[in-house]
Every structure is written in C-alpha cells, then in structure tokens.
Amino acid sequence: MNVVVCAKLVPTGTPTLGPDHLVVRSGTDAALDPGDEYGLELALQLTEQHGGDVTVVSMGPDEAGQAIQRALAMGASRGVLVSDPSLRGADALVTARVLAAAIGMYPFDLVVAGVESTDGYTGTVPVTVAEILGIASVTAVRRLEPSDAGARIERMTERGYDVYECPLPAVVTVTAGSVEPRFPSLKGIMQAKQKPVDRPSLQDLGSRDLTATQTVTAVTDAPTKAGGEVVQGDEAVGRIVELLAEAKVI
Amino acid sequence: MAVLTVAVTLFWRRARSRLEVLRAARPAARTDHPGERARRELSHVLGQRKLFQKAAPGVMHAFIFWGFLVLLPTIVEAMLAAIDRHWTFPYLGHVAWFAFLQDLFATLVVVGVAIAFTIRKIQRPDRFRGSHMEEADRILLAILGIVTTLLLWNASRIALGIAGHPAAAPVADGLSGLFGAGRGTEVAERVLVWSHLLLVLGFLTYLPRSKHLHIITAAPNVYLATNHPRGYLEPLRIDLDSADADVRLGASVATDLSRKQVLDLFSCTECGRCQEVCPAWNTGKALSPKLLIMDLRDQVAKEAPLITAGAAGIVELQPLVPNAVADQVVWDCVTCGACVRECPVDIEHVDTIVDLRRNLVMAESRFPNEAGAMLRGVESSENPWGQSASARTDWTASVEDIRVLQPGDPPPEILFWVGCAGAFDERAQRTTQSIARLLTAAGVDYAILGPRERCTGDPARRMGHEYLFQMLAEANVEILNGAGVTKIVASCAHCFNTLANEYPDYGGAYEVVHHTELLSALVAEGRLRPDPAGGRGSVTYHDACYLGRHNGRYDAPREVLRAAGAAAVEMPRHGERSFCCGAGGARMWMEETEGTRINDTRFAEAEATGAETVATACPYCFVMLDDAAKAKGSAVRVADVATLLAESTLAEPGG
Ligand SMILES: Cc1cc2nc3c(=O)[nH]c(=O)nc-3n(C[C@H](O)[C@H](O)[C@@H](O)COP(=O)(O)OP(=O)(O)OC[C@H]3O[C@@H](n4cnc5c(N)ncnc54)[C@H](O)[C@@H]3O)c2cc1C
Ligand code: SF4
Ligand code: SF4
C-alpha cells in the first residue's frame, strides 16, 4: 500500500504577523506539525506491515524542507516540497489545490493528513483535497486496516467510534493520540539526507489556479473581555437578579 | 623443561586470544596523568584499599594477594630445586629472612583460603547469586594445594637437613616432624616439589579462561580507570554534516567497546560487591551490574574467534542488546555509580551502560515509550517538561528583584543556574525561591539567564542521546561565554555535575558551586545569620548521587543543616554509600513497574531513622522522596536544605 502523507511546517513559538498581515514563516522557529506526526506514524505502520512506501508532501516556504526531513528521518521514503513565492498567503482552497496536484503526480492508495493544523486549524484542506481528487474521505480516524472493500476504518465520535468500510484510494485525517509517533533515530536523521526530495514547480503541477488569490487587508486583535463584576456579600442575590434582568435573560 | 614449555605455550595460546580481542577493540585514551594513575595502583592494588571496604573479605583477599606476591620468586626456586635438590637462588636461597617470609605468607594464604571458604560456604552472602561458585571453589582449592605443597616441601627439606634456617620457618619446622630422615623423605621431597610446580603450571594454563584472569588484568584495569570525577561521561562527538550513515553511535556489537571496556569484562572476579549495593537489583529489577558484566564477557569470549578473524568475522557479530543483556536491563540503571565505587578492580559499569543506551537511542530509536516525551521536550522546547522558554521565569513572580541577565548586560559575580526542574516543577520552584531569597539577603551579586537558559542536556545524555546533549551543551556554552559568566551556582545536582565536569569538553570552563556550598560559605562568612534555635528538629540528609558519590560533596549540606539548627541523624547508607532516590540516569522520565520502587525503599530508610524531616539537595531527589512520603501518607516532611535554611534565617521565608 503506497501512502502519501501531508505534512505542514508550523511555527513552534508564538507566531508573529508581518507587514502584509501574513504569518511570518521564514527564518522563525518552526517544525513539523506535531498533529501530522500521528498520520505519519499510522502510515509508517501500515507500510511496515503491508508493504509499500510513504511519500510526504508539503507546501510552504523553503523551511518546510525541515518538516520533510523530519518525516524522512522517521521513515518516509520520499519527500515532495512545493515552494513558490506566489503561494505565500495561500488560503485553504489554494493549499488544497496545490496539494491535490502534487499528490496526483505519485501513485497512491491512501492520503493521510492531520485533522487540523496547529496554526491555521481550518480543518478543511484534507477534505477539499479529496473532493478535487474525486475520492472518498474519512475524518478523525483512529485506526485503519486494509480490508476486502479497501480499508476498515475506525472513526472517532463524541461517544466512541464508528466503523467504516471505505473503498481506496481515499483521504483520511488521523486524530492525535491514536498512535505513538516514533522518535527518529540519529541514523534515521542521517539517512534522511540521502533520500530523494522532489521540488516540482507550479508548471510541473500543471493546473492553472495555483496562486494565492486573497490579500489580507487588516488584522484586528480580538476585543479583550471586560473585567466583569464580582458580587459578594448579602446584596449578592439581589444584584444578580438585577443583572440578569438587565441582560434580558429573565 | 618440557612441562614448563607445554604450560607456558598453553597459557600463551589462551591468553593471546584475549589479547587479540583487546587489540581489536577501540583504543581508549587513558594514559594521561601517570602520577595519579600510579598512586591509584599503589592504593587500590598493592594497598587493596577497595577490598578493605568489607572487613573479612578484605583480609581474606589481602592475605592471598600479598602471599601471592611474596611467593612469586618461590616458583623459580622450586624449578631450580626440581632439577637438583641442592640448587637454589644464590643469595635469597640462603638467608633466614626469606625463609621466614615464605613460611609466614604461605601460612597467611592458608588462613585466607580458610576465611574464603567460611564466607562462601557458611555465610553465603547474596552478592554471590549468579556467580560461578564451583569455579571459585576449584580456584581456592588450587591455591590451597599450591601453598600446602610448598609448606610440606619446605618441611621435608628441613627433615632432610637441606634447609638452612629451620628456626626462621616455624610452620614448616613444625610440619617437619611428619617426616623421618630416611629414603622415604627423599622421595617425598621430590614428589612434593613436583606437585607444587605442576599445580602452579596447571593453574597458569587454567587462568586465561577463568574469572581468575583478574590476577593479570586487574592491575592494568585499575591503571586505566578514569581520572575524572565519577559523574563524568566521555563525549562521543557527532558531526552530522560530515558523518556518513555508518558512524559509530555507542556500542552495538562487541567491537564497538573500548579497550578499557573489554578489559573491564576480563577483570571481573564475580565478587558481587557491585550487585550488593545496586538500587536496581535491590528493588527487584532485572539489572545486576555483576551479571551485566559477566553476560557481556561471555558474549565477547564466545565471539572472540569472529572478532579476531577481522573484517569478515565482524559482520557476523550479534548485537550485545538483546543477545547478551536484555533491553530492560539497560534501562533499569539509575547511573548512581554505587557499583563503580564498590568494584575492587575499578570496572566502570556506567560508561558501558550509557554506551549501550547510546546505540539503542541514536541508532535504533529503541527505548521505553514514556521517555519519548522527555526527549521530544528537550528536542523541541529545550527542556524535559516541554514548556515554553518564557515560563522559565514564572517562579520569580513571588520573589522581588531577580535580575534576569539580558544580552549585553555586565556579568554578575555569580550566575544562578536555575535548571529545568527548579524552573518548571512546582515543588522544586520553592527551593529555587528559597535560594534566591537567601542570596538576596546575603547581598550576593547574582542573576539568572531566564528564558535564555536551556536544559544542560543531562537527561538526554544519560538516556543515551549524545547528539541532543551535544547541541544543548554547545548552545549553553555559547550563551554563558557570550555573557562573560565565570562563576555559576547550580541548585540541581545533575546540572552541577554537567556544568562542572562535562562542559569543559565543550569549551565551557567555569567555577561551579552547588547551592549548599555557597550557602554554607555565606553562613561561615556571617552574611547569613540563621537562628540556631530555629528548632528544625531532627533531620536526616539524603546524599544525592551526583553531588556526593559522583562529586565528593558531603560536608556542605550537613554544615548548612547544622547552622539551621537541625539535629542531624544519619541513615545507615549515607555519604559515599548513599542509596539513590531512583531518578538519575533519566529514570525520572521512565515508569518503574518491576519490583518495589526505589524512592519508596529509600524513603522507608529515611523514615526509620525517626527524623522529622528528610533534607535533600537536588530537585530530583526532592520530588522522588516527596512522592514516596505522600504515597505512604507519612508525617515526615521532605524539604531542600535551602528551604530549611531560609526558614531559620529569613523573617519571611516565603515558598
Ligand atoms: C492566523 C491565520 C489565519 C488564517 N486565516 C485564513 C482564512 O481566513 N482563510 C483561509 O482560507 N486561510 C487562512 N489562513 C491560511 C491557512 O490556514 C493555511 O495557510 C492553509 O494551508 C489552510 O490550512 P490549515 O492550516 O487550516 O489546514 P487544515 O485544514 O487545518 O490542515 C489539516 C491538515 O492538512 C494538511 N495540510 C494543511 N496545509 C498543508 C500544507 N501547506 N502542506 C502540507 N499539508 C498541509 C496537514 O496534514 C494538516 O494537518 C490563515 C492562516 C493563519 C496562520
Ligand atoms: S549505576 Fe547504580 S543502578 Fe546502575 S548498575 Fe551501578 S549500582 Fe546499579
Ligand atoms: S564488577 Fe567489580 S564489583 Fe562487580 S562482581 Fe565484578 S569485580 Fe566484583
């Protein structure tokens, strides 16, 4: 089973916004999104048990190469980095288009992504990728095994989990904590440097609408909540009733 | 002559295989400071200092060992006499004092062997569990045979009137009564000298394959022992940019061991002194330092032909873990160094265990799952707790006027190295606050690095992740040197050890003191004036391994406690023989499921002294013992030495 894993580089500290109101992604401390390590681990376990290779795909600045190196050190066999200045500030839709085009260049039976990224957390990229590729998607997966129909998938719900039989290829997003991501060995880190990392250009990806289309015009801080009023003592009950009436709750 | 040639050839053939294994091992640079090494040779080997750590076994061994030294020339004397009974040494063979020494020491050896059998057969201490008992018996019997034949031979010579000074050899003289003066004694004399020689030569050929090889290997092993404080680990430099994927990452197979490490294996006498003090073994874990050394030795011996066959054989070597020792054994160790301290032949178990870990972690990524969180935290957040750097100063909120050293600031007289535990662990923060308040009260010019401080790398290093340690050490040294720091006070025993002993290898040479040393000096100078009637009650002090045994700091914490008005009581195991709290060697970050818990064992020992307070001087010990106290619901309080001093010194100790 060949698996493509989507891996995003995210800032590790508190992200800062640049003059263009976009997150500063170059030259800051960043790492492979910890949420993506679960998907990667699941993919590695699958290919270790059932054969096949893991390819990691990332879109981002050159630094996203670090996220790919980490994934290669953990055991993925090939990296794919799409990096183009025109993609800076790409929204979730463009990100999904780019990733779908890149994934389409490689043979795959399964695409694995995180449920939502640690920095942008729209949680929409993976399902959009599935839509563009025209394949099924299952979110919040905690376990996956190959089956006659394709894959037997356990999907987390609020109460427990549902079991799906899903045809392959498909896109799945993996929940945190479902597997224990491995800690890469130093041997792995060294071997990672020898592994291939493809850097397809936007032309290679072949599709037209692959540039960031939105500009951020302004960013405002969320209003801080006012201090609130602490009511104490004997008058408290009366005051609370008053306040509730003011708020037209009673 | 023929007998001699056969024996020597056999001995040489067998010894050579051991020598070749040694030659194939990694060279160990252990010949610096010959003076210090020679002094150790005198005290540990000739003086038998470490053997006397146990009284009866010490006397037993010293008798046999000294006897062996004195009787060495006798072997040549017997050889001469075997050819012609009137041949002997030109001078030695005729003087009374030599006859006396021979007689005395041969007798002492007999006494030694008798003590040995008493210990082994009647006392039967647990430390021998797992040792080769029959082999030891055989060796003792051989020794007994060698000296009794010697005594009897001398007796027969007295009876025959060949010996010059019968009065100088009272034992042999007494035994000479057994012999007449006739033809029978002449035959007996021949038989005795030959049996003496054959026993000696037989023993020689048996040596290289037995644990008794230590009579040859122990002396060089002691000479090659480390000169560093025991807490020091030798660096394994890793340069990822120039390294290819085959670089040696710790010890995987026999040939990855250094010559000292291999010589260690060939020097072990299976005495079990290390096993007897090991906190892991004593609490029912799989690890025994003795069995570890024996198991590694057996695999190296088994693979000797492959090792000496050169490159072709080496590819067939089996990994030491899990073939010789199980994974769990490697992870059970708290690196407390009790074994190394006890070992009479200076075997360095901890270095070998860490080398095995290095390979498991860096090459195989194979280690107890739960420790991954610590490594991840150290890797991405530069502290084992995985907290953000900005939280390092959270503890200062309730302490006024803490100077956080900013880039470009003039350096303080002393940099207070808070350490990750001291910064992030809620309980350890109290110690940090006490130290800060005391330093302020004493008017010490100090500052902290705040968010620019990183983990020293100790937990990663003891866990075997040398590369992570190296990166942290280099980064910390850069900050410290850049800030012009010359003197550091550390509150964590592990930070203290790493900063003082290990950072010099990375270009960081500072004067490092532990907070108990600094506080004790401030009290002595009168800059801190504790109220001696502070009523601290009875306190028992727990020596941290990395402060005490690893670095020889025993007095300062006790002086501070005394100044704080505490009535000190000692636990049975204290000072150099203190028993670990269970947190060292990155065990703090691993679960302890087998046997009883080390911290519970230690706390019970502290509680049994009847002390009202257990004082610690390291945040790891503090947390471990405090956990044990809470788990037991004990009324005994656990507190750092600094907290106790603050309470009897400051009007508002806080915390
Ligand atoms: C503060 C902030 C505000 C933003 N506001 C908006 C906005 O309002 N509208 C908008 O459209 N975009 C916005 N973006 C941009 C957007 O979040 C990301 O740039 C875009 O990739 C969406 O992905 P996500 O991080 O939400 O991904 P999610 O859908 O949350 O990510 C789920 C998974 O998809 C995969 N994935 C996501 N991105 C990548 C990638 N680049 N490379 C490889 N795999 C990936 C990963 O496996 C990830 O775990 C914002 C970003 C930030 C940081
Ligand atoms: S260092 Fe301590 S725990 Fe480790 S083997 Fe030696 S005595 Fe046992
Ligand atoms: S390692 Fe040292 S202390 Fe332990 S059994 Fe061997 S010789 Fe004795």
Side-chain angles (χ1 to χ4, degrees):
Chain A
M1 183 185 290
N2 290 314
V3 187
V4 175
V5 176
C6 300
K8 189 180 184 183
L9 182 86
V10 296
T12 45
T14 319
T16 49
L17 297 183
D20 55 359
H21 305 306
L22 295 173
V23 177
V24 180
R25 292 196 185 269
S26 296
T28 50
D29 284 346
L32 168 63
D33 193 330
D36 284 341
E37 289 197 9
Y38 297 98
L40 182 58
E41 179 62 39
L42 185 114
L44 290 171
Q45 290 183 10
L46 270 176
T47 53
E48 278 161 9
Q49 282 158 25
H50 306 285
D53 281 321
V54 174
T55 303
V56 224
V57 178
S58 188
M59 181 197 97
D62 280 343
E63 282 88 345
Q66 291 168 27
I68 289 183
Q69 283 302 315
R70 175 84 181 183
L72 294 176
M74 283 173 72
S77 39
R78 174 183 290 274
V80 182
L81 173 60
V82 187
S83 188
D84 191 291
S86 70
L87 291 173
R88 178 160 166 70
D91 59 15
L93 180 59
V94 171
T95 305
R97 281 186 186 139
V98 170
L99 291 179
I103 292 165
M105 295 172 66
Y106 299 87
F108 67 90
D109 305 296
L110 185 70
V111 177
V112 175
V115 173
E116 56 178 30
S117 69
T118 309
D119 59 345
Y121 52 85
T122 65
T124 57
V125 171
V127 283
T128 317
V129 167
E131 190 61 31
I132 296 169
L133 292 173
I135 55 177
S137 66
V138 181
T139 55
V141 169
R142 52 164 241 171
R143 187 173 277 184
L144 186 148
E145 276 158 24
S147 70
D148 294 340
R152 181 187 173 279
I153 297 176
E154 291 177 13
R155 178 181 190 277
M156 299 275 282
T157 65
E158 271 171 27
R159 295 224 194 122
Y161 62 89
D162 295 340
V163 179
Y164 291 81
E165 284 285 346
C166 176
L168 293 184
V171 176
V172 296
T173 67
V174 176
T175 46
S178 51
V179 280
E180 178 70 34
R182 65 196 64 188
F183 189 81
S185 69
L186 212 56
K187 269 232 159 85
I189 293 173
M190 290 191 282
Q191 283 160 353
K193 290 186 189 162
Q194 260 82 55
K195 292 181 178 172
V197 178
D198 302 338
R199 302 188 56 135
S201 68
L202 292 183
Q203 282 93 321
D204 294 339
L205 296 187
S207 167
R208 277 167 297 115
D209 337 311
L210 297 184
T211 46
T213 49
Q214 69 174 18
T215 43
V216 182
T217 51
V219 175
T220 1
D221 285 340
T224 43
K225 288 204 184 102
E229 186 182 328
V230 180
V231 285
Q232 277 173 320
D234 297 339
E235 297 91 62
V237 176
R239 179 72 187 130
I240 289 172
V241 173
E242 230 173 82
L243 283 172
L244 291 174
E246 247 172 66
K248 296 197 171 66
V249 185
I250 47 173
Chain B
M1 214 53 212
V3 183
L4 181 65
T5 324
V6 170
V8 170
T9 319
L10 262 178
F11 166 76
W12 178 240
R13 277 243 301 269
R14 291 171 176 181
R16 205 179 53 192
S17 119
R18 294 284 184 271
L19 251 182
E20 278 172 2
V21 171
L22 271 177
R23 209 174 295 145
R26 266 187 321 114
R30 290 289 188 83
T31 43
D32 55 309
H33 298 88
E36 196 173 319
R37 293 176 189 282
R39 254 197 308 284
R40 187 166 53 223
E41 200 71 16
L42 285 178
S43 91
H44 289 198
V45 179
L46 279 185
Q48 304 270 291
R49 195 180 65 86
K50 290 179 98 180
L51 283 141
F52 282 118
Q53 288 169 168
K54 287 186 166 296
V59 170
M60 171 286 280
H61 191 273
F63 279 1
I64 298 179
F65 169 73
W66 289 331
F68 163 83
L69 282 190
V70 172
L71 297 179
L72 269 179
T74 310
I75 300 174
V76 183
E77 196 190 20
M79 281 177 184
L80 293 174
I83 303 168
D84 181 325
R85 84 163 44 108
H86 293 283
W87 286 10
T88 181
F89 285 126
Y91 166 73
L92 276 186
H94 305 288
V95 287
W97 62 263
F98 188 66
F100 169 70
L101 281 184
Q102 252 185 23
D103 198 59
L104 172 68
F105 279 92
T107 312
L108 288 182
V109 173
V110 176
V111 175
V113 172
I115 301 176
F117 273 121
T118 315
I119 295 170
R120 285 177 175 269
K121 298 296 166 199
I122 297 169
Q123 282 191 340
R124 298 174 163 272
D126 191 57
R127 65 189 163 98
F128 289 126
R129 198 165 0 134
S131 305
H132 293 96
M133 299 303 277
E134 293 91 55
E135 188 187 4
D137 292 351
R138 271 201 297 279
I139 291 165
L140 283 169
L141 285 176
I143 295 173
L144 189 64
I146 289 171
V147 284
T148 36
T149 48
L150 175 66
L151 284 172
L152 288 171
W153 175 52
N154 280 343
S156 69
R157 286 164 71 84
I158 291 173
L160 291 174
I162 313 172
H165 305 275
V171 178
D173 196 25
L175 289 171
S176 67
L178 296 172
F179 301 97
R183 176 86 192 122
T185 304
E186 278 179 23
V187 176
E189 191 266 351
R190 287 293 85 190
V191 171
L192 282 166
V193 72
W194 276 100
S195 8
H196 177 66
L197 273 182
L198 286 176
L199 274 171
V200 168
L201 294 177
F203 193 56
L204 185 72
T205 61
Y206 181 65
L207 266 191
R209 290 199 176 166
S210 78
K211 68 164 194 121
H212 218 64
L213 185 60
H214 83 273
I215 66 169
I216 295 170
T217 49
N221 207 51
V222 167
Y223 188 83
L224 297 175
T226 183
N227 285 340
H228 286 278
R230 230 170 257 133
Y232 169 86
L233 281 179
E234 253 165 52
L236 170 66
R237 290 285 177 171
I238 299 168
D239 180 0
L240 275 194
D241 295 323
S242 69
D244 53 65
D246 277 339
V247 69
R248 198 189 72 87
L249 299 170
S252 165
V253 294
T255 45
D256 291 329
L257 297 172
S258 76
R259 289 189 183 148
K260 170 67 168 79
Q261 286 172 323
V262 174
L263 195 61
D264 272 352
L265 306 183
F266 293 155
S267 304
C268 178
T269 68
E270 305 182 8
C271 71
R273 289 170 183 241
C274 54
Q275 174 174 302
E276 192 174 53
V277 295
C278 173
W281 177 261
N282 276 295
T283 54
K285 313 292 190 288
L287 165 67
S288 145
K290 175 187 76 181
L291 298 178
L292 171 102
I293 295 293
M294 287 168 60
D295 291 341
L296 289 173
R297 175 197 64 198
D298 290 347
Q299 174 158 344
V300 170
K302 197 179 78 197
E303 292 185 332
L306 288 176
I307 295 167
T308 48
I314 284 174
V315 292
E316 290 169 41
L317 295 179
Q318 295 297 310
L320 297 168
V321 184
N323 290 291
V325 280
D327 284 69
Q328 191 50 47
V329 165
V330 177
W331 297 113
D332 276 341
C333 177
V334 292
T335 68
C336 70
C339 49
V340 184
R341 182 201 172 262
E342 220 63 30
C343 180
V345 295
D346 285 346
I347 287 171
E348 292 155 349
H349 316 70
V350 178
D351 298 27
T352 300
I353 291 174
V354 171
D355 250 354
L356 294 173
R357 288 183 175 189
R358 284 171 175 171
N359 182 68
L360 289 181
V361 170
M362 293 193 291
E364 311 267 317
S365 193
R366 211 165 91 212
F367 50 80
N369 244 334
E370 63 277 9
M374 179 272 282
L375 286 179
R376 237 174 263 276
V378 172
E379 187 186 42
S380 52
S381 316
E382 299 178 319
N383 67 75
W385 276 260
Q387 298 245 26
S388 78
S390 58
R392 276 198 188 269
T393 47
D394 284 359
W395 64 270
T396 59
S398 66
V399 191
E400 56 291 334
D401 304 333
I402 303 280
R403 175 150 88 97
V404 182
L405 200 63
Q406 304 298 338
D409 280 1
E413 188 193 321
I414 300 185
L415 182 92
F416 178 15
W417 185 272
V418 176
C420 303
F424 299 120
D425 183 273
E426 222 175 282
R427 282 176 282 174
Q429 281 179 354
R430 270 183 269 149
T431 308
T432 312
Q433 288 159 347
S434 300
I435 297 170
R437 288 199 181 92
L438 286 165
L439 296 186
T440 306
V444 175
D445 169 25
Y446 75 100
I448 61 170
L449 278 178
R452 292 194 294 154
E453 189 183 297
R454 297 173 168 88
C455 172
T456 57
D458 164 87
R461 181 172 226 195
R462 264 73 202 169
M463 177 85 196
H465 207 314
E466 187 73 3
Y467 183 63
L468 213 48
F469 165 74
Q470 177 183 312
M471 290 201 301
L472 288 164
E474 285 167 357
N476 277 323
V477 165
E478 196 181 316
I479 297 273
L480 288 167
N481 288 353
V485 170
T486 51
K487 185 170 179 182
I488 300 177
V489 58
S491 69
C492 169
H494 302 265
C495 293
F496 169 77
N497 177 67
T498 308
L499 290 166
N501 300 328
E502 301 184 331
Y503 274 22
D505 286 337
Y506 298 85
Y510 320 103
E511 182 192 345
V512 186
V513 294
H514 186 255
H515 72 266
T516 53
E517 290 178 281
L518 181 59
L519 294 178
S520 153
L522 291 173
V523 170
E525 289 165 25
R527 291 166 73 180
L528 289 175
R529 295 178 185 283
D531 175 7
R536 301 257 60 83
S538 59
V539 177
T540 186
Y541 171 68
H542 162 80
D543 287 276
C545 304
Y546 277 82
L547 196 58
R549 193 162 38 239
H550 283 320
N551 283 296
R553 308 293 205 273
Y554 306 107
D555 300 334
R558 291 179 166 83
E559 281 159 14
V560 173
L561 286 175
R562 218 169 298 133
V569 278
E570 293 288 4
M571 288 182 249
R573 293 178 284 195
H574 65 270
E576 248 198 298
R577 284 197 155 153
S578 176
F579 189 80
C580 184
C581 70
R587 285 293 323 171
M588 175 88 166
W589 317 98
M590 294 178 228
E591 277 160 17
E592 192 180 346
T593 45
E594 287 296 307
T596 48
R597 294 182 55 90
I598 297 179
N599 60 339
D600 290 343
T601 308
R602 181 55 166 171
F603 180 74
E605 183 175 350
E607 209 181 23
T609 61
E612 294 153 57
T613 307
V614 182
T616 56
C618 166
Y620 285 59
C621 304
F622 176 38
V623 168
M624 291 307 272
L625 296 179
D626 196 47
D627 279 349
K630 296 216 165 88
K632 208 175 175 187
S634 167
V636 173
R637 176 187 180 204
V638 181
D640 191 277
V641 169
T643 308
L644 298 176
L645 182 68
E647 284 170 2
S648 52
T649 309
L650 307 175
E652 278 176 51

